[in-house]
Amino acid sequence: MPLPLIPAELVRLGASPADKNGAIAEAGHLLASAGYIDPAYIDSLLRRETVANTFLGHGVAIPHGMIEDRYLIRHTGVAVLQIPGGLEWNPGQRVHLVVAIAAQSDEHITLLRRLTRLLQDEAQLQRLFGTNDPAPLLAALGEDAVVAEAAVATVADHEHHFSWTMEYPNGLHARPATLWVETARRFDADVLVRNHQESADCKNLIGLLQLGLQHGHELHVSASGPEAEQALATLRDVMTRITAQEQADAAAAALKQKNASRQGWAPAGALPSIGGISASPGLAIGTTRQLRAHAVEVRDRPGQLIDGGVELEAALVATRDELEELAVDTARRLGTAEAGIFRAQAELLNDSELITLTCRFMVQQHGVAWAWHQAVEQQAGRLAALGSPLLAARAADLRDVGRRVLAKLDPSADTGSNGVNGNGETILIAADLAPSDTATLDVTRTLGLCTAQGGPTSHTAILARTLGLPALVAGGAALLDVPDGTTVILDGHGGRLYLDPSADDLASARRWLAEQQERDARQAADRALPAQTRDGHRVEIAANVNRPEKVAEALTAGAEGVGLMRTEFLFLERDTAPDEEEQYATYRAMIEALQGRTLIIRALDIGGDKQVPYLNLPHEENPFLGVRGARLQLRRPDLLEPQLRALYRAAAHGPMSIMFPMITSLDEVRTLRTHCERIRQELNAPQVPLGIMVEVPAVATMADRLAEHVDFFSIGTNDLTQYALAIDRQHPELAREADSLHPAVLRLIQQTVDGARRHQVWVGVCGGLAGDPLGAAILTGLGVHELSMSPRDIPAVKARLRAATHSTLLELARQALDCDSAADVRALEGDAA
Ligand code: PEP
Ligand code: MG
């Protein structure tokens, strides 16, 4: 039975949230506890605020989640939070009604329409802001609302006009409507949008939303004034252009929904459960064990001040060493990012205020252990009381690290350490877990984790994901009431703990687990095998990896090396360029992580879609056709020199190759080689293979000439496609047509391979086509030596190539070159293996 859009329990009067995020979370919790959304959607509501302003005007805000997270919505519904005292939404924008929308498709457009009409009726709004009775709110927003007519009216069309069918799958919602308004406002013209009898000024967002435009509606857009024709032409273009994006967003959302329902397990019927936020996917069947935090007890044993100081110093040094060991171990087991948690904890021990406070207690005749514990509690309490989740997390870290020091100062003290490991079937439940508890968990004895507090980005969540343990966080106080030994099924993907499942539910969950394990085992076995066709032709399989800490993951996924390290990632999301030392450390770490396997490091490819504000590069009308990649390096010695020096210094530590992006001419190759050789000699560094990316059609067609001057080619099919087809790879409307399987692109690849073959030059492919199983099959047939892709694409590509024979791939490539279009090439798929 469909649930009502706004039931009475979704209206909360007299709310007084501390801030905007608090208001959104409160409204989100209303929706979650009434079963309208998965709690994870609350995160999506918060995320939307970082990309859009949901303030509607006149004291009303309409938070709504990201389109791609719609699969987290169980029923379309709306929660209303009335804040009589008002709340600053954004600077200068005060809100009294928060209308949080969870809409699966375009049902909420009607609500939006009611709301926008309501905004015209100031007197009624003021009543709603202060009412003690939910009835008028429900009446104003509910299905049978009678509201004042306002910004929409029947007005005759203007002189110039066009008709247009709304093909946005979700109708006209706030984001595209804003783009319409912004476009109309650029022109000296009156622009009207009409749907049947109702018209609205296209420069008025509220008016437009009031039209309640839905998929399939026929619109008439008309304009008058000096720039009427121009305004209409541009507007039509913008309206149409958005269609592709809206359709792509809706398709992506549908796919995510499909995948989500395929990924998860669900009980056949209703089962008591506790919902939280998914922190780490996977399903676990086990019995619960509560880790009850208990107060730390420390006896006050006064002693000599000097002795106390010495003991404190020794305990701090020992704890620092212990944390470093833990960090090294965690780095090996889990990764550098996870290990950083313990380095940050060690940093807390350097807090001079903490030490001063401890000494003050000692001067007051208290024992060192007691003094330390008091100081930690005071500092942590102060941090936690500030109301910021970030500082609350620091408080938890401080207590965690404080416990370690305490155990050294007074080994007899009950430090409250939980001894968190289970018995092999255990699902641990805790109010929260300290990072060191999670990192030292023995995954063979614990099947899953549930915490009442925490968030999806908390340390516990990060560590649980890395350990591969299903986990849910923010399950609330109800979790702490689950008796020890309860049989449960933990769905880490959906963030839900099912209590006391029936024998049938247990059997179905076990079946689901067995199927998953079987599939994983099959893939894991195949991932490790070479990409060799049934008749023995082998292609190298590499991964596109940018950071040393990601290498292990790529190798586990089946990569034999790294075919593309995009160094521009070192330059993004920061305020200054990394210097030679920093670059050297990263390249060296990458070489060491690969332990002698292939590594191709690409020189900086800035420009085009990758802009770096602090480099102050001049604005270009067509950045993809401008100074990017090698063209920029050749103009900016301040970028080229430190990078080449760092690369050649790193080369002393193991094999690697250097590759230059966006090469167009032989002159560029010659100049870059000269720079490389000069720097190599200055550093007395070893020779390193120097290659170029084939991304510009000019290079593909001249490959036979360029091959004489390079050690290898790596084809960047992403750029080669955009330049061959003259389609901006980011164009909202055209990008979907930029299919790298277009025969024009394949012919350029063939020319590259043929040109390279004349000089026995090795050819790899590191663009997206390499990770598409059909693309990989055709590329192998065309004769490339290596395919480098995102690690997650490796299993499917290997499976495809291993199932084929080389002769069928040669034939497939021949047929593909002979096709008329990318669609025709894709249609060959059925015969490929
Ligand atoms: C390419 O163009 O195919 C490529 C691999 O480079 P990027 O995607 O970084 O431009
Ligand atoms: Mg490229």
Side-chain angles (χ1 to χ4, degrees):
M1 202 179 79
L3 296 179
L5 191 66
I6 320 179
E9 80 246 41
L10 287 190
V11 178
R12 179 166 290 169
L13 300 179
S16 55
D19 54 19
K20 173 174 156 182
N21 283 357
I24 294 172
E26 193 170 336
H29 280 299
L30 283 176
L31 285 163
S33 31
Y36 281 73
I37 58 168
D38 185 296
Y41 193 71
I42 299 172
D43 217 35
S44 184
L45 288 167
L46 291 166
R47 224 160 354 103
R48 165 74 77 180
E49 298 299 316
T50 62
V51 293
N53 181 4
T54 60
F55 180 75
L56 198 59
H58 299 259
V60 180
I62 48 161
H64 47 288
M66 308 294 285
I67 291 188
E68 68 265 27
D69 294 330
R70 279 204 179 146
Y71 69 100
L72 297 169
I73 299 173
R74 299 192 182 122
H75 310 278
T76 293
V78 174
V80 182
L81 212 61
Q82 180 215 46
I83 310 172
L87 172 79
E88 180 153 85
W89 201 252
N90 289 311
Q93 298 178 333
R94 253 191 122 58
V95 158
H96 291 273
L97 276 188
V98 174
V99 182
I101 303 173
Q104 279 177 323
S105 63
D106 63 2
E107 307 102 307
H108 71 299
I109 296 276
T110 326
L111 170 88
L112 218 50
R113 185 175 185 192
R114 263 179 239 141
L115 255 177
T116 46
R117 288 192 181 184
L118 188 62
L119 295 195
Q120 315 295 313
D121 189 344
E122 194 61 43
Q124 194 189 355
L125 263 184
Q126 288 305 327
R127 278 194 299 280
L128 297 180
F129 290 169
T131 179
N132 294 323
D133 178 3
L137 263 169
L138 287 168
L141 298 174
E143 260 88 336
D144 306 321
V146 180
V147 283
E149 290 295 327
V152 294
T154 310
V155 180
D157 289 346
H158 290 304
E159 174 192 1
H160 304 280
H161 52 88
F162 67 84
S163 299
W164 192 82
T165 308
M166 165 66 69
E167 281 175 2
Y168 304 171
N170 299 312
L172 186 69
H173 53 96
R175 193 178 54 82
T178 311
L179 293 174
W180 289 21
V181 171
E182 281 169 3
T183 309
R185 284 189 185 155
R186 281 172 25 213
F187 297 94
D188 182 8
D190 289 331
V191 186
L192 269 185
V193 177
R194 181 169 63 78
N195 178 26
H196 295 291
Q197 304 307 315
E198 293 183 331
S199 312
D201 177 356
C202 193
K203 295 183 180 180
N204 177 340
L205 179 66
I206 292 174
L208 269 184
L209 292 176
Q210 272 181 262
L211 289 175
L213 301 179
Q214 294 184 14
H215 184 258
H217 278 171
E218 288 290 334
L219 312 186
H220 299 274
V221 185
S222 61
S224 65
E227 295 182 337
E229 282 174 284
Q230 242 177 309
L232 285 185
T234 313
L235 193 59
R236 185 184 194 142
D237 188 42
V238 168
M239 289 161 70
T240 308
R241 239 209 264 179
I242 297 170
T243 303
Q245 189 60 48
E246 287 288 303
Q247 287 172 340
D249 286 352
L255 187 68
K256 227 171 160 181
Q257 172 129 32
K258 205 165 129 209
N259 287 341
S261 56
R262 217 192 298 138
Q263 276 172 24
W265 170 86
L271 199 56
S273 67
I274 297 175
I277 297 178
S278 159
S280 173
L283 193 72
I285 305 168
T287 49
T288 54
R289 185 178 141 210
Q290 294 277 353
L291 294 170
R292 299 196 196 283
H294 50 280
V296 176
E297 282 179 25
V298 188
R299 279 195 35 214
D300 193 359
R301 295 197 187 93
Q304 289 297 324
L305 186 58
I306 298 194
D307 295 346
V310 173
E311 278 177 53
L312 180 61
E313 175 68 24
L316 290 172
V317 169
T319 307
R320 270 192 210 104
D321 289 350
E322 192 177 289
L323 287 170
E324 184 52 31
E325 250 172 61
L326 197 54
V328 170
D329 182 53
T330 307
R332 211 187 51 243
R333 285 200 310 140
L334 307 178
T336 356
E338 287 74 12
I341 293 170
F342 299 104
R343 302 226 156 86
Q345 281 199 346
E347 202 46 51
L348 290 175
L349 296 179
N350 297 332
D351 179 1
S352 60
E353 219 174 307
L354 188 63
I355 312 291
T356 314
L357 205 54
T358 311
C359 293
R360 201 175 299 146
F361 285 127
M362 283 168 25
V363 170
Q364 292 164 3
Q365 307 290 313
H366 293 290
V368 58
W370 190 93
W372 169 258
H373 179 57
Q374 285 303 313
V376 167
E377 280 306 308
Q378 269 195 24
Q379 287 286 79
R382 202 172 51 80
L383 287 173
L386 292 174
S388 139
L390 217 69
L391 293 177
R394 297 306 279 166
D397 274 338
L398 183 57
R399 287 199 168 101
D400 190 26
V401 79
R403 233 169 49 188
R404 287 182 181 278
V405 179
L406 185 60
K408 294 181 181 53
L409 290 172
D410 181 0
S412 70
D414 179 356
T415 60
S417 178
N418 284 308
V420 293
N421 284 311
N423 63 7
E425 296 222 324
T426 303
I427 305 231
L428 291 176
I429 301 180
D432 209 351
L433 282 173
S436 50
D437 289 336
T438 320
T440 50
L441 262 182
D442 179 350
V443 286
T444 60
R445 292 200 285 159
T446 304
L447 296 178
L449 300 175
C450 304
T451 63
Q453 298 152 20
T457 52
S458 65
H459 289 160
T460 300
I462 295 168
L463 290 167
R465 273 196 292 277
T466 328
L467 288 165
L469 276 183
L472 80 77
V473 293
L479 260 183
L480 305 177
D481 294 333
V482 177
D484 276 354
T486 308
T487 302
V488 290
I489 300 175
L490 168 60
D491 172 13
H493 175 74
R496 193 156 281 275
L497 185 71
Y498 294 97
L499 308 173
D500 295 317
S502 68
D504 283 352
D505 282 323
L506 281 172
S508 112
R510 287 203 179 99
R511 256 195 321 276
W512 189 91
L513 265 179
E515 280 163 18
Q516 281 298 100
Q517 280 159 0
E518 209 177 293
R519 203 200 60 197
D520 290 352
R522 226 179 17 245
Q523 281 201 349
D526 286 356
R527 273 200 307 250
L529 298 172
Q532 185 163 311
T533 58
R534 296 208 309 267
D535 47 357
H537 180 79
R538 184 165 174 180
V539 186
E540 290 170 51
I541 299 290
N544 296 349
V545 175
N546 304 325
R547 300 175 210 282
E549 61 269 25
K550 293 284 173 199
V551 167
E553 215 174 281
L555 297 179
T556 311
E560 294 155 12
V562 166
L564 171 65
M565 175 189 181
R566 293 175 161 103
T567 58
E568 55 276 11
F569 283 92
L570 270 166
F571 288 69
L572 302 176
E573 286 168 26
R574 51 192 292 160
D575 302 324
T576 51
D579 61 10
E580 181 186 320
E581 278 316 305
E582 185 181 341
Q583 292 193 56
Y584 161 69
T586 307
Y587 305 147
R588 180 179 168 173
M590 196 77 184
I591 291 169
E592 285 169 351
L594 279 158
Q595 297 178 338
R597 297 179 181 86
T598 310
L599 168 61
I600 302 179
I601 304 186
R602 179 173 81 181
L604 196 55
D605 185 18
I606 296 285
D609 56 334
K610 297 162 201 143
Q611 295 295 338
V612 178
Y614 60 79
L615 294 180
N616 294 321
L617 302 175
H619 170 78
E620 293 184 298
E621 282 303 321
N622 291 303
F624 276 121
L625 302 182
V627 179
R628 72 169 284 212
R631 300 174 184 178
L632 178 68
Q633 291 263 43
L634 285 166
R635 285 164 177 77
R636 291 284 297 259
D638 59 317
L639 295 173
L640 180 69
E641 296 275 324
Q643 181 162 48
L644 289 182
R645 288 181 60 83
L647 286 167
Y648 273 106
R649 282 173 60 198
H653 300 280
M656 59 160 262
S657 307
I658 300 176
M659 159 163 93
F660 291 98
M662 192 62 192
I663 293 290
T664 317
S665 70
L666 185 52
D667 269 356
E668 290 166 341
V669 176
R670 284 203 184 104
T671 315
L672 284 164
R673 287 199 79 110
T674 311
H675 285 302
C676 287
E677 184 53 20
R678 172 177 52 77
I679 287 171
R680 188 190 72 75
Q681 286 184 13
E682 276 168 24
L683 294 169
N684 196 17
Q687 293 280 358
V688 165
L690 296 175
I692 61 168
M693 289 199 70
V694 179
E695 297 177 293
V696 178
V699 168
T701 51
M702 299 289 282
D704 56 337
R705 301 293 175 85
L706 282 150
E708 277 185 69
H709 304 269
V710 300
D711 300 316
F712 65 93
F713 287 139
S714 182
I715 305 176
T717 51
N718 308 334
D719 277 314
L720 187 60
T721 306
Q722 84 162 340
Y723 295 127
L725 303 182
I727 294 179
D728 178 342
R729 61 198 260 187
Q730 307 191 104
H731 195 286
E733 196 182 331
L734 299 174
R736 66 179 60 221
E737 287 169 40
D739 190 336
S740 298
L741 280 176
H742 194 292
V745 180
L746 299 179
R747 288 179 187 204
L748 288 168
I749 295 172
Q750 184 201 26
Q751 273 184 289
T752 307
V753 175
D754 288 349
R757 200 174 280 142
R758 288 201 210 164
H759 302 276
Q760 286 88 46
V761 163
W762 181 96
V763 184
V765 179
C766 61
L769 189 60
D772 170 341
L774 176 61
I778 294 173
L779 289 167
T780 305
L782 286 172
V784 307
H785 302 95
E786 176 238 37
L787 299 166
S788 188
M789 64 202 79
S790 158
R792 66 169 183 278
D793 293 334
I794 292 176
V797 164
K798 279 196 173 175
R800 180 59 180 272
L801 296 178
R802 288 180 58 79
T805 59
H806 190 213
S807 47
T808 53
L809 297 183
L810 289 170
E811 176 56 17
L812 175 69
R814 198 196 55 72
Q815 288 177 6
L817 290 170
D818 204 30
C819 281
D820 289 335
S821 66
D824 287 354
V825 176
R826 291 207 175 271
L828 297 172
E829 186 148 32
D831 324 320

